[in-house]
Amino acid sequence: MNRAPFRPLLVLLALLASGPGLADRLETVIEGVDGALLSNVRAHLGLVAAERLDPLSVWRLRQLSSEARQEIRDALQPFGYYQPRIEVRLEALDQEGHWRASIRIDPGQATTVRELDIEILGEGRADPALIAWQEAWPLGPEQRLIHADFERAWQDLVQLAEQRGYFDAQFLQRQVVVDPDRARADVSLHFDTGRRYRFAGYDSEGHPFSERLIRRLSILEPGEPYTRERVDEQREVLVRSGLFQRVVVEEDRLADSEDLRLHYQLEARPRDSYRATLGFGTDTGARLQLGWIRHYLSSRGNRLDLGFGAQQKDSEFVFRGNYFHPRGSQPFDFWTAGVVFRREQDDFRFIDENRIEPVFDSFSGRREQAELIFGRLQERPAPFEGVSPIEERLFVSILNERFDALRERRFSTENQALFDAYPELEPFLQNETQTVALGASWRLFNVSGTGFEAEGQVIDARITGASETLGSDVSFLQGYIGARWHRLFGDRHKLLLRAEAGYTEAATETLDLSLDDRTLRLSITELPERYRFKTGGDRTIRGYAFEALSTNRNGGNHLLAASAEYEYRVAENWSLAAFYDIGNAFNDIDQLELKRGVGAGFRFYTLIGPIQVDLARALDDVDKPLRLHLTIGTRLL
């Protein structure tokens, strides 16, 4: 009689007789290890995985229990434990199918490194980056053997060699020999880098530019050792040139040599771009900006940038033009020429700077400026890793500035009386100056992100000087530095700091004026308006009117200002802000009096720029009401 068909039935009956047939719930308790060891043990254990499964048979549960010891050994070996002692106990807690697996682990003695043999062969043996990798090797003699550290270290070596041009590199030996009984291990790694590949020039296609220009934009020298970082820098230079809308840099390893040639696929951007922006601010009123850029006038890559701006405040109109002509062999080295024409209504004021209020009526005047600027624009290397290069400008400026408050002579009664009493005011009310100035400026722009997420720093510095011996009507020497720093803390918090300082060696004139029972000491710098410092308003010292802070409100020789602001994000594009501003512009350092403003506001970030609304109190002008500051379409950083 054939009994084989009845064998599964007999097995099933035996299981049912031994206890409950299904485990509805399982919990696994592990003792003796913690941290990374415990995590790895749980990741390897089938018992732990079974906790998340539907009810399973008791037979399968016992099978998993018997497999647990080997799974635990496999989980401990990567951490150097080869001789653990393991106890596994499986028990039914009740008749409802609730089971517990209790596991006690003694990992035993950790395996340590006995002998370490790390050797780099080939041209890379003298490479500083590979030497640094070897010095940072994580498994030293007498240290616990952690296999993940070994794997990670040799994989990092392979990646580093690839990044540095050792494309034929290979391991001659890579092994870990473990003696579990003695808890010792020997680690050996021999790596032959072979020859290092070098750049062998480039070729390019798909663009209308001259070979001279492309060569100027190529920063890699033939024979220079390969690094992937340098290829990325080359790609970035081509992108930043502003000439292309598509840049692809491919690597071509030349056969039977250790040379590598780059292939540029370049698609020129449209030759012209236009811009038009509208904005509004309590400082400026409505404002309009129009611009046109001819990104390349010819195959040499020369560029023209024209712009026009107008704002409601003071009926100000500005035209600006800049021409850039490539110079030398560096990609961002240019000869520059620029022109600026500006016209605005600009009163001559008689303000008590301590009370920030008029003593006499102002004289309404018109100011016109025409400026020619010639210079050189270039980049300096970044001062430290992780920031952009420094933009440097060397320039000579020829400025003609006119101010006329006497043209129509439609004076108020008080104006006429003041002018009759002090005819020496006339040079201040009607004048024309020619200024020939030499200068240099530096700008570090390192900003990432947009909207609320924009963070980084912007630093501007400049030195400007003019001398009557060089054809200028006035002599002065001026220095300025300003910095803005924005930093995010988590998803909702942001700190904004700003500071600026300016100092000028320039002559000043002082007049003591009196009319009826009013007196005023009027201090006027000889600086042209173009170079005078002023502060106060939406983006400087809030709580005060636009450019209301300076000596007699006519501009000063020196400047000190700072601001601290905290922003809290309420929603995706909304944030609340609180701020404290302090500063002033002045002629006499001995009489410096810094003005303070404090307030709160909100920001709404849009595609066309942020809307910024602030309500500020001038702490040093307490009789004045709270001042509203509103700007639309102006960048905050």
Side-chain angles (χ1 to χ4, degrees):
M1 179 177 179
N2 186 2
R3 300 178 181 272
F6 299 98
R7 188 170 300 162
L9 179 60
L10 294 175
V11 172
L12 178 60
L13 291 173
L15 288 173
L16 293 174
S18 67
L22 293 176
D24 288 330
R25 187 154 58 97
L26 171 67
E27 62 175 316
T28 305
V29 179
I30 303 173
E31 297 178 348
V33 292
D34 56 16
L37 282 176
L38 177 59
S39 298
N40 206 45
V41 167
R42 292 187 65 86
H44 277 72
L45 272 175
L47 286 169
V48 172
E51 293 177 344
R52 301 185 296 272
L53 299 177
D54 293 332
L56 67 161
S57 67
V58 174
W59 175 82
R60 178 56 181 154
L61 191 59
R62 294 186 187 282
Q63 186 182 39
L64 291 173
S65 177
S66 65
E67 295 171 353
R69 289 176 176 82
Q70 186 59 48
E71 291 172 339
I72 294 171
R73 291 189 183 94
D74 293 341
L76 295 178
Q77 287 180 6
F79 295 90
Y81 296 101
Y82 281 84
Q83 298 287 350
R85 288 184 292 277
I86 304 165
E87 297 179 7
V88 181
R89 187 176 63 184
L90 186 65
E91 58 181 327
L93 299 181
D94 52 39
Q95 297 298 319
E96 305 298 327
H98 182 189
W99 289 73
R100 175 188 294 157
S102 299
I103 300 175
R104 180 176 293 277
I105 303 172
D106 179 1
Q109 182 181 359
T111 300
T112 57
V113 176
R114 179 178 59 184
E115 292 186 3
L116 178 65
D117 181 17
I118 306 294
E119 187 174 5
I120 296 178
L121 307 171
E123 190 175 332
R125 73 172 63 191
D127 190 316
L130 300 187
I131 293 173
W133 171 88
Q134 187 170 0
E135 292 174 348
W137 175 259
L139 298 175
E142 303 306 322
Q143 289 184 331
R144 177 159 61 97
L145 173 65
I146 301 178
H147 286 268
D149 289 348
F150 175 77
E151 295 290 325
R152 188 181 306 111
W154 73 256
Q155 290 171 5
D156 287 346
L157 176 60
V158 172
Q159 184 178 20
L160 181 61
E162 181 81 10
Q163 291 173 348
R164 299 188 65 78
Y166 302 101
F167 298 119
D168 301 325
Q170 60 180 333
F171 284 103
L172 303 180
Q173 184 172 334
R174 187 184 75 236
Q175 65 180 11
V176 177
V177 179
V178 178
D179 184 346
D181 295 332
R182 294 182 175 84
R184 304 292 279 176
D186 297 333
V187 177
S188 61
L189 188 150
H190 296 174
F191 187 68
D192 185 1
T193 66
R195 290 286 304 276
R196 187 176 186 181
Y197 279 64
R198 283 165 167 74
F199 293 112
Y202 67 90
D203 56 71
S204 62
E205 64 177 26
H207 61 82
F209 302 108
S210 67
E211 176 58 27
R212 179 179 179 182
L213 174 61
I214 302 302
R215 186 165 57 248
R216 181 175 179 268
L217 295 175
S218 297
I219 62 173
L220 303 176
E221 297 292 336
E224 177 182 341
Y226 172 95
T227 66
R228 188 170 300 164
E229 181 181 10
R230 288 288 284 164
V231 175
D232 292 340
E233 289 177 5
Q234 176 62 77
R235 184 182 295 106
E236 182 67 15
V237 166
L238 293 169
V239 171
R240 289 178 54 218
S241 70
L243 298 173
F244 310 105
Q245 64 179 0
R246 181 174 177 270
V247 173
V248 176
V249 178
E250 297 178 336
E251 301 175 10
D252 183 16
R253 301 177 196 174
L254 303 183
D256 300 324
S257 74
E258 283 77 32
D259 289 338
L260 181 146
R261 191 171 181 84
L262 297 181
H263 179 66
Y264 304 156
Q265 295 183 30
L266 307 173
E267 183 179 340
R269 70 179 300 165
R271 176 169 289 195
D272 301 299
S273 65
Y274 307 89
R275 64 185 182 276
T277 60
L278 293 172
F280 179 84
T282 48
D283 283 350
T284 62
R287 59 179 180 268
L288 167 70
Q289 292 183 348
L290 303 174
W292 169 55
I293 300 178
R294 174 62 65 90
H295 296 282
Y296 44 96
L297 294 166
S298 69
S299 62
R300 296 175 297 176
N302 44 345
R303 185 171 83 247
L304 180 65
D305 187 346
L306 303 179
F308 170 79
Q311 68 180 35
Q312 185 178 5
K313 177 75 172 180
D314 295 330
S315 301
E316 183 176 350
F317 299 90
V318 180
F319 172 81
R320 187 185 307 274
N322 290 291
Y323 172 75
F324 300 86
H325 189 85
R327 175 194 179 277
S329 59
Q330 297 303 309
F332 301 105
D333 193 349
F334 297 91
W335 293 118
T336 65
V339 60
V340 180
F341 298 103
R342 182 189 306 270
R343 192 187 76 180
E344 63 179 327
Q345 293 299 121
D346 188 13
D347 297 344
F348 188 87
R349 302 166 180 88
F350 300 88
I351 305 293
D352 186 324
E353 57 190 280
N354 293 321
R355 296 195 301 270
I356 319 177
E357 62 182 22
V359 178
F360 308 114
D361 290 344
S362 61
F363 283 81
S364 178
R366 174 183 292 178
R367 189 175 304 279
E368 297 175 344
Q369 296 173 343
E371 184 176 16
L372 290 175
I373 306 170
F374 302 96
R376 176 183 175 183
L377 170 65
Q378 60 182 333
E379 283 190 350
R380 295 293 185 184
F384 45 87
E385 189 175 354
V387 303
S388 303
I390 296 175
E391 181 183 277
E392 179 185 79
R393 292 177 182 266
L394 308 176
F395 61 88
V396 55
S397 167
I398 304 171
L399 172 68
N400 177 271
E401 183 175 284
R402 299 179 183 179
F403 178 70
D404 192 349
L406 302 179
R407 182 177 53 181
E408 298 181 1
R409 290 185 178 268
R410 294 179 179 176
F411 298 157
S412 67
T413 302
E414 182 177 283
N415 283 158
Q416 190 63 57
L418 191 63
F419 187 70
D420 292 341
Y422 297 96
E424 58 268 35
L425 283 171
E426 182 171 355
F428 301 110
L429 301 176
Q430 190 176 54
N431 57 67
E432 180 176 356
T433 58
Q434 295 277 358
T435 307
V436 180
L438 303 177
S441 67
W442 299 269
R443 180 175 176 84
L444 173 63
F445 185 86
N446 189 53
V447 177
S448 61
T450 59
F452 182 87
E453 286 82 12
E455 65 175 336
Q457 59 275 339
V458 180
I459 301 175
D460 290 289
R462 65 175 181 268
I463 297 176
T464 311
S467 174
E468 296 177 32
T469 60
L470 297 178
S472 182
D473 292 341
V474 295
S475 296
F476 67 89
L477 180 63
Q478 183 177 88
Y480 169 86
I481 184 168
R484 288 169 284 161
W485 181 80
H486 291 199
R487 176 69 182 275
L488 293 172
F489 296 91
D491 296 330
R492 293 184 176 272
H493 308 278
K494 186 174 183 179
L495 182 63
L496 305 87
L497 302 178
R498 175 184 57 82
E500 53 183 340
Y503 178 84
T504 313
E505 280 290 342
T508 60
E509 277 196 56
T510 302
L511 296 177
D512 289 312
L513 308 178
S514 64
L515 191 66
D516 300 327
D517 58 347
R518 290 168 292 169
T519 62
L520 176 67
R521 168 155 287 195
L522 185 65
S523 177
I524 303 295
T525 176
E526 288 188 355
L527 280 175
E529 178 75 14
R530 163 77 170 75
Y531 297 104
R532 296 180 186 181
F533 290 117
K534 297 178 182 179
T535 190
D538 298 344
R539 292 181 55 80
T540 53
I541 314 300
R542 286 160 286 191
Y544 300 87
F546 178 59
E547 297 186 345
L549 299 180
S550 66
T551 303
N552 301 124
R553 202 172 169 181
N554 290 300
N557 286 339
H558 316 305
L559 172 70
L560 278 177
S563 175
E565 181 171 320
Y566 166 74
E567 257 190 80
Y568 176 77
R569 174 184 278 180
V570 177
E572 180 67 22
N573 297 314
W574 288 87
S575 64
L576 299 177
F579 56 85
Y580 176 83
D581 302 333
I582 185 170
N584 208 343
F586 49 95
N587 284 336
D588 192 342
I589 294 179
D590 295 334
Q591 297 181 10
L592 170 61
E593 183 178 349
L594 298 178
K595 305 295 184 180
R596 300 163 299 156
V598 63
F602 71 86
R603 315 284 181 260
F604 179 54
Y605 296 93
T606 72
L607 293 176
I608 62 171
I611 298 174
Q612 176 177 338
V613 180
D614 291 319
L615 198 60
R617 165 78 69 181
L619 297 181
D620 296 288
D621 195 9
V622 295
D623 295 334
K624 299 295 184 182
L626 292 173
R627 179 177 290 273
L628 177 68
H629 295 275
L630 168 65
T631 59
I632 299 175
T634 302
R635 289 187 299 110
L636 296 182
L637 182 61

